[in-house]
Amino acid sequence: MSLRATARIAADAGGGLPLLVSDGPLALRRTRAPEPYTRVTVVGAMSAPLGGDRLAIETAVRPGARLLVDAAAATLALPGRSAEPAAYDVRIDVADDGVLRWLPEQVVSVEGSHLRMRTTVELAPTARLVLREEQVLGRHGEPPGTLATRLTVRRAGRPLLDQELSFGPGAPGGWDGGAVLGGHRATGQLLVVDPAFADKPVETRLLGEHAVIAPLAGPAALVTAVAPDALVLRRLLDTALAALAPF
């Protein structure tokens, strides 16, 4: 039987968490964090998402709040009894002077799985954001399942980024070719939105052999990387994070 679950987070200035609601496999735990952040860790309470599951996390960062959301382990997209694809939606709203660091672990696309992920972010004009996404295509020695992801970010009601990626069986041709992954099995992106970039945008530059830092048309920077495995990918994105997001 397919699963339906929606977890909810709301963070206030001063460290309050007026809303912290777990649901199904999405167990939320308040964990220790360096000041001035409040930290919530997503703990997988059961195997999910399976085929046909519908999971979601809704997060509201209220004015002046600083929130760090991470995860205890990678998310494994697994085949299930249903032939329907699984869906995992992340919906984020960051108010003025709010700061969110959204740093989950990798999504691993297991052979035979089919997952559609959608992340939608609404940012106020003075909000700041760090958002990391990492996709690992197959466990060690296996081909990937089908994975489709879309990241949509709006700032002050205007589009900042709308990016869609598809990998694995059924994805448009060429996803594993030299112009996309080039045979690599880990890919990811790091988005940093900071009003300070309006006066001093980042410069486009390479980060190693297979990663690039580029400014967006707005106070933001996007890092895109491919790597042979999850460990190398994380090192690339951590290097970029340290350079781009001192907050």
Side-chain angles (χ1 to χ4, degrees):
M1 184 175 179
S2 299
L3 187 67
R4 303 289 188 273
T6 300
R8 295 178 173 88
I9 308 168
D12 279 341
L17 284 174
L19 186 64
L20 191 65
V21 178
S22 302
D23 192 8
L26 302 171
L28 306 179
R29 301 288 183 264
R30 181 167 187 160
T31 49
R32 185 175 299 177
E35 292 290 344
Y37 282 91
T38 301
R39 179 183 177 192
V40 173
T41 299
V42 182
V43 180
M46 62 181 75
S47 294
L50 306 176
D53 288 351
R54 299 290 183 268
L55 308 181
I57 299 180
E58 298 177 351
T59 300
V61 180
R62 295 175 179 173
R66 292 193 173 212
L67 178 66
L68 164 63
V69 178
D70 60 8
T75 296
L76 267 65
L78 298 165
R81 294 181 180 178
S82 172
E84 291 294 317
Y88 196 156
D89 292 329
V90 175
R91 297 182 285 270
I92 294 169
D93 191 293
V94 187
D96 274 316
D97 298 318
V99 181
L100 175 64
R101 294 171 71 94
W102 187 269
L103 301 172
E105 293 299 309
Q106 301 91 353
V107 173
V108 181
S109 179
V110 172
E111 183 180 8
S113 67
H114 189 172
L115 176 62
R116 296 174 180 170
M117 292 196 68
R118 176 73 186 262
T119 301
T120 305
V121 184
E122 294 284 347
L123 300 173
T126 58
R128 289 181 287 172
L129 172 72
V130 173
L131 185 147
R132 181 181 68 207
E133 291 187 336
E134 298 169 302
Q135 298 89 27
V136 178
L137 306 179
R139 294 172 294 193
H140 181 70
E142 75 173 9
T146 298
L147 176 62
T149 72
R150 185 170 180 177
L151 173 60
T152 302
V153 182
R154 294 172 61 87
R155 178 179 178 269
R158 301 179 65 181
L160 178 68
L161 176 66
D162 196 347
Q163 174 178 279
E164 189 167 0
L165 304 171
S166 295
F167 309 105
W175 65 269
D176 201 23
V180 186
L181 292 183
H184 291 88
R185 282 296 174 265
T187 182
Q189 42 279 334
L190 178 76
L191 174 67
V192 179
V193 182
D194 187 348
F197 290 154
D199 296 325
K200 189 177 180 181
V202 301
E203 296 182 359
T204 301
R205 64 184 186 275
L206 291 175
L207 186 65
E209 187 177 355
H210 299 296
V212 63
I213 300 174
L216 297 182
L222 180 66
V223 182
T224 305
V226 296
D229 56 47
L231 182 60
V232 174
L233 177 67
R234 178 62 59 84
R235 286 174 178 165
L236 285 169
L237 296 183
D238 280 351
T239 299
L241 179 59
L244 294 174
F247 54 86

